[in-house]
Amino acid sequence: MKQLFRNIRGFIELPKKLRQRGILGMNQRNHSYIGRYNDRSKYPLVDDKLKTKQIAQQAGATVPELIGVIESQVHVKEIHDLVADWPGFVIKPAQGSGGKGILVITSHQDGRYTKPSGAEVSREDVERHITNTLAGLFSLGGKNDVAVVENLIEFDDSFADFSYEGVPDIRVIVFHGYPVMAMMRCSTASSDGKANLHQGAVGVGLDIATGKAVRAVQFDHPVSHHPDTQRPLDQLVIPDWEQLLVLAASAWEMTGLGYIGTDMVLDKSRGPMVLELNARPGLAIQTANGTGLLPRLQKIEALKQQGISHNTPEERVAVSRELFAS
Amino acid sequence: MINRLPFYLFVAALVLVGVALSLYRHSVYGVPWFPGEQREQWEIEARIEFTANGDPAKVAMAIPNDQQNFILTDESSSSQGYGVAILEQKEQRKAEWSIRSAEGQQLIYYKARFLADADAQYQIRPPSKPRPQYLEDVRQTAALSMLQDAMKRSADNPTLARELIRQLNDVQNQNAALLLNSMNREDALVSLLSMEAVPARTVATLMLEDGRRRQSVQPWVQVWDEQKEQWQLFNPRTGAEGKPDNLLIWSLDYQSLLDVIGGRQSDVSFSMIAQDISPETATREKIEANDLLNFSIHSLPVEEQAMFKTIMLIPVGALLVVFLRIIVGLKTSGTFMPVLIAVAFVQTELVPGIIGFLLIVGTGLMIRSYLSRLNLLLVARISAVIIAVIMIISVFTVVAYRVGLLEGLSITFFPMIILSWTIERMSILWEEEGAKEVFVQGGGSLLTAVLVYLAMTSELVRHLTFNFVGLQLIILALILLLGNYTGYRLSELRRFRHLAQD
Ligand SMILES: Nc1ncnc2c1ncn2[C@@H]1O[C@H](COP(=O)(O)OP(=O)(O)O)[C@@H](O)[C@H]1O
Ligand SMILES: [Mg+2]
């Protein structure tokens, strides 16, 4: 009885505690950040991965090489010739999100395509995947879409065993151009070569000052080791951290969106690159870091109110690293 | 920071106007806050439609009178350019419309108001003995043998009728089959009874159900009970005996319900709605009907009113969905799909509705998983799923009918296109994120639909939304306020609970 009473009390006090820790909820994110700082007319820039690639390149950022774009049903069969000279590639819907419709192929031979898990798919399977993509099955609102084919990223050796069968990506929330929180997302057997958290990837919170792991979660539950490789996750340190943060911070200049999530990868040979930008980044980054976004967002809002502004990504990164060191 | 003051003033104004309108309806029109305190009043509208030849036209329709459980309180008709007369012929009342010349599509409305009253007084005239009807040879023999059998097993007129209906509905009975070959059940019954000089007649009835539109009359049979000196009512299809409380006898003669001279393609359909008003207000409302401040939808034709009864419930459904998503954080597939499913549930009733929904979506998912192997273009695949859904619905309907599950018939009320998209989305979800997510979202949708259904069918909610239009403004204000809620969703409390611990 007493136990039950305590449980109920704990539940009632939960909102207050979460508020004290500055946890950002979905409603507040939509209303006070996305709705307020993201101009709708700029959404197409980030909702379309082709456009994102373009603006990122114009801004001088590196992006995964584009192998080609398949725009209509008649060209679907050309995919096999298109990728003939590329050992590995990825097909994704230009307007997809959340890892939907992303087909990662690590190698292929004589019309047999191999996924990161080792599973094989046939020529027909690949063609069907593109057909579905074109019909808008994976895209926002089910609109017709195009299929983007890009080079497979070979991830940096320092990430070996932190990610299983897939490229880990680094998500940084950038508010008014200041990186406020970061995590690395490592794919697992259940996430099928994609590093999207709700598909089962592990999220590792990163210290903004150093790029070192602070904590890790899978499906919002704390974990200490990678579930497939058993590598302790607290050993993770991101190389080229400063460079990555600057790349993330420059997304502000690229898009003009106030509240965005930048997805980046570290390629073995070509270094940090922008994978995609997100106008509605998820909240799981808070669980991965074990801390709330609100206080950090409010610090930046306070800076703005005092009329302080920093015009280059480098300056803003420096400010963030000082403000948000954990 | 944007100034929020005008917004809150606007919301407050909405609430104020809403409350004021409701208070006005309550105090001036005497509409009670709660249903059931008052007597039920039915408004039934007949809509006569025909194509006129261009000559003089005369339309006669049988109209109802006081009867067991119902008192006629008011009637009116609207028909452009027609002269109207109400005639009383023996027991049957008739309305007659006439015009010198009419051409093209014609529309005539007749509206009657009935007060449900268990002690309603009405006239009964004892009928004269009917002349026996003769059938030709084989059928006469069949009829006589049925009668012989039924006479043995019966004591008086009602029990004789009961026996005959039992035989007529017995598929094994060859005599009955022979009769039903050339005549319908009710005529056969009346003919058979006439051979024993038992007075009986086929009457046209309406089953009163709130908000029904485009209904047609159903034949029931009245048999004279000599002992009790009154008519006993039978449903010739089911053998049900006695008059259900919500059955209204529209015409005492099923055959001559509508008679049109000078026109073709005539048809009559009925709409009905129930209202709870006190008898005094019934009269008062009539006087004030032309009042401009009468913000009610009750001045519309009954058919439109019946439609609005459902439409007015949709905002309640929307409010619930908004609440479940913003405050609770329930995941559904498609934002307002559950509301549409709930509207279908209102037609099908809850349990048959849920079973039907699960059957359709479940079977649909199986068929869809086969289609997914065929490698089709998306539009073609969705269309195939739509056809599959239609076939599933027809198969289930036929099977349900065969095994005598009449509830199964209502499965056709489901919005097919929406269901097809639901199946498609769920099937993709299954492939992409596994069965668990399908159950989470499918279950969320179903739960939302059931909650919306419960709200929509609650007597209180139906009464309030239909009678107090002001409530819609208050709902709108609530939705606007919810749109400003920035607190945690209940599901987030669970999701982030680890973050609250140290
Ligand atoms: N070019 C690529 N090479 C290897 N893996 C990739 C590539 N592009 C995407 N991925 C994998 O798929 C995941 C999702 O890709 P992303 O472009 O962010 O799409 P989404 O908008 O669906 O999240 C990435 O986190 C990564 O793991
Ligand atoms: Mg992504």
Side-chain angles (χ1 to χ4, degrees), chain A residues 11 14-15 17-19 21-28 30-32 36 73 99-101 124 128 131-132 135 137-138 142 198-199 215 220-222 283-284 286-287 290-291, chain B residues 1-2 4 325-327 368 372-379 381 421 424-425 428 431-433 483-490 492-502:
Chain A
F11 189 77
L14 214 49
K17 276 199 181 143
L18 290 179
R19 177 103 24 228
R21 313 237 151 148
I23 307 296
L24 180 66
M26 199 58 109
N27 292 328
Q28 194 171 14
N30 292 344
H31 181 268
S32 309
R36 193 170 293 164
Q73 191 56 33
K100 272 184 291 200
E124 289 73 33
R128 179 156 60 95
T131 300
N132 282 341
L137 194 49
F138 310 114
H198 62 273
Q199 292 178 331
R215 214 176 104 98
D220 288 329
H221 284 273
L283 300 172
Q286 300 178 107
T287 15
T291 176
Chain B
M1 199 61 191
I2 317 150
R4 282 269 164 206
R325 290 182 73 104
I326 294 186
I327 308 282
R368 168 62 180 74
S372 104
R373 268 183 272 144
L374 290 186
N375 191 15
L376 300 174
L377 297 182
L378 179 72
V379 187
R381 194 171 56 221
W421 270 104
E424 179 67 23
R425 288 265 153 79
I428 297 299
E431 282 170 18
E432 292 261 317
E433 263 142 64
N484 259 298
Y485 171 78
T486 55
Y488 299 112
R489 299 175 180 177
L490 281 179
E492 282 173 346
L493 295 185
R494 209 186 112 75
R495 176 178 181 191
F496 291 131
R497 68 184 181 284
H498 300 296
L499 291 178
Q501 290 145 17
D502 310 83

Side-chain angles (χ1 to χ4, degrees), chain A residues 185 196 263 276:
Chain A
R185 299 183 295 187
N196 293 83
D263 287 0
E276 67 150 349

Side-chain angles (χ1 to χ4, degrees), chain B residues 45-227:
Chain B
E45 182 185 75
R47 179 175 189 269
I48 305 170
E49 214 176 344
F50 68 97
T51 318
N53 296 339
D55 305 323
K58 209 164 108 182
V59 178
M61 183 178 64
I63 52 175
N65 205 345
D66 293 345
Q67 51 189 279
Q68 183 189 334
N69 205 29
F70 290 109
I71 301 180
L72 178 69
T73 52
D74 184 29
E75 61 188 338
S76 62
S77 111
S78 105
S79 48
Q80 196 122 61
Y82 282 80
V84 200
I86 302 235
L87 315 172
E88 206 105 12
Q89 298 169 335
K90 282 199 245 142
E91 286 185 275
Q92 181 63 58
R93 300 167 70 245
K94 268 194 184 315
E96 236 176 49
W97 291 269
S98 47
I99 192 165
R100 183 58 62 187
S101 101
E103 177 123 48
Q105 189 69 8
Q106 306 287 307
L107 262 186
I108 295 178
Y109 290 98
Y110 166 83
K111 188 148 81 173
R113 243 184 234 196
F114 280 95
L115 208 56
D117 184 352
D119 339 291
Q121 301 287 321
Y122 53 101
Q123 272 198 335
I124 304 172
R125 292 181 190 216
S128 49
K129 288 229 180 292
R131 257 190 290 137
Q133 298 176 21
Y134 293 104
L135 309 167
E136 72 283 357
D137 20 287
V138 211
R139 293 194 295 141
Q140 180 74 9
T141 335
L144 287 178
S145 107
M146 282 175 75
L147 272 174
Q148 203 181 15
D149 202 31
M151 282 300 279
K152 268 191 253 160
R153 296 160 175 266
S154 61
D156 51 9
N157 295 352
T159 47
L160 177 65
R162 189 186 304 158
E163 270 309 306
L164 287 173
I165 294 177
R166 195 185 53 72
Q167 288 190 35
L168 284 171
N169 284 336
D170 177 1
V171 276
Q172 311 286 350
N173 192 319
Q174 308 216 334
N175 289 327
L178 192 65
L179 286 191
L180 293 178
N181 250 340
S182 56
M183 57 200 333
N184 48 37
R185 267 195 179 72
E186 52 278 8
D187 290 345
L189 182 59
V190 172
S191 301
L192 283 167
L193 287 167
S194 78
M195 294 176 191
E196 287 297 333
V198 175
R201 58 191 181 190
T202 311
V203 296
T205 66
L206 281 173
M207 198 54 99
L208 298 187
E209 267 178 85
D210 190 16
R212 285 292 151 109
R213 305 193 291 142
R214 309 240 155 201
Q215 304 291 299
S216 49
V217 289
Q218 299 298 320
W220 283 51
V221 173
Q222 276 188 327
V223 178
W224 180 252
D225 185 339
E226 284 176 318
Q227 268 98 44

Side-chain angles (χ1 to χ4, degrees), chain A:
Chain A
M1 194 61 210
K2 230 178 186 165
Q3 183 62 35
L4 181 78
F5 198 69
R6 201 162 334 136
N7 280 347
I8 292 177
R9 225 183 87 175
F11 189 77
I12 291 174
E13 283 175 356
L14 214 49
K16 208 175 102 201
K17 276 199 181 143
L18 290 179
R19 177 103 24 228
Q20 276 166 3
R21 313 237 151 148
I23 307 296
L24 180 66
M26 199 58 109
N27 292 328
Q28 194 171 14
R29 182 202 76 171
N30 292 344
H31 181 268
S32 309
Y33 292 94
I34 295 184
R36 193 170 293 164
Y37 297 113
N38 286 357
D39 182 354
R40 267 204 176 268
S41 67
K42 291 176 181 143
Y43 277 19
L45 292 182
V46 293
D47 283 344
D48 184 330
K49 293 196 165 70
L50 272 179
K51 288 209 183 106
T52 313
K53 242 185 215 317
Q54 262 169 20
I55 56 170
Q57 261 171 333
Q58 274 161 15
T62 26
V63 292
E65 291 139 284
L66 186 66
I67 300 179
V69 181
I70 294 179
E71 285 176 353
S72 67
Q73 191 56 33
V74 284
H75 300 297
V76 168
K77 288 204 182 317
E78 293 165 17
I79 178 73
H80 309 293
D81 295 333
L82 193 63
V83 298
D85 296 332
W86 301 81
F89 62 94
V90 173
I91 302 177
K92 47 172 107 166
Q95 305 186 40
S97 69
K100 272 184 291 200
I102 294 190
L103 180 65
V104 183
I105 299 293
T106 47
S107 66
H108 59 102
Q109 205 177 20
D110 311 327
R112 310 290 312 162
Y113 293 87
T114 313
K115 295 212 281 182
S117 58
E120 280 198 350
V121 289
S122 65
R123 288 169 74 100
E124 289 73 33
D125 288 333
V126 173
E127 288 167 19
R128 179 156 60 95
H129 186 86
I130 299 176
T131 300
N132 282 341
T133 307
L134 296 180
L137 194 49
F138 310 114
S139 312
L140 290 166
K143 291 179 299 209
N144 280 8
D145 205 352
V146 300
V148 179
V149 187
E150 65 182 28
N151 188 17
L152 180 76
I153 293 156
E154 302 272 352
F155 60 85
D156 197 278
D157 286 332
S158 55
F159 296 148
D161 289 342
F162 282 117
S163 190
Y164 183 75
E165 298 176 344
V167 180
D169 72 3
I170 295 152
R171 156 69 59 92
V172 180
I173 302 280
V174 179
F175 185 47
H176 283 297
Y178 297 85
V180 289
M181 201 174 273
M183 70 171 162
M184 189 167 92
R185 299 183 295 187
C186 312
S187 45
T188 61
S190 49
S191 73
D192 194 23
K194 291 166 278 186
N196 293 83
L197 291 183
H198 62 273
Q199 292 178 331
V202 169
V204 186
L206 299 173
D207 180 3
I208 285 280
T210 58
K212 283 189 185 146
V214 284
R215 214 176 104 98
V217 289
Q218 186 185 27
F219 287 123
D220 288 329
H221 284 273
V223 289
S224 57
H225 293 73
H226 191 285
D228 303 307
T229 64
Q230 303 307 333
R231 176 115 189 223
L233 291 162
D234 55 6
Q235 294 175 355
L236 180 70
V237 188
I238 311 286
D240 301 330
W241 184 235
E242 162 105 40
Q243 211 187 331
L244 259 168
L245 284 183
V246 171
L247 184 60
S250 64
W252 165 245
E253 276 84 8
M254 291 180 208
T255 62
L257 289 167
Y259 184 80
I260 57 174
T262 51
D263 287 0
M264 292 164 302
V265 283
L266 262 187
D267 189 78
K268 208 184 227 169
S269 46
R270 303 179 63 219
M273 16 177 149
V274 176
L275 195 54
E276 67 150 349
L277 301 175
N278 229 304
R280 310 168 196 81
L283 300 172
I285 198 166
Q286 300 178 107
T287 15
N289 280 278
T291 176
L293 271 166
L294 269 181
R296 303 193 179 185
L297 297 173
Q298 280 157 357
K299 269 185 197 163
I300 304 292
E301 279 177 323
L303 279 186
K304 295 265 120 193
Q305 233 149 36
Q306 291 159 23
I308 303 174
S309 68
H310 303 90
N311 290 328
T312 64
E314 288 80 4
E315 277 180 86
R316 293 194 300 265
V317 168
V319 173
S320 284
R321 291 179 82 167
E322 203 184 298
L323 281 178
F324 306 133
S326 47

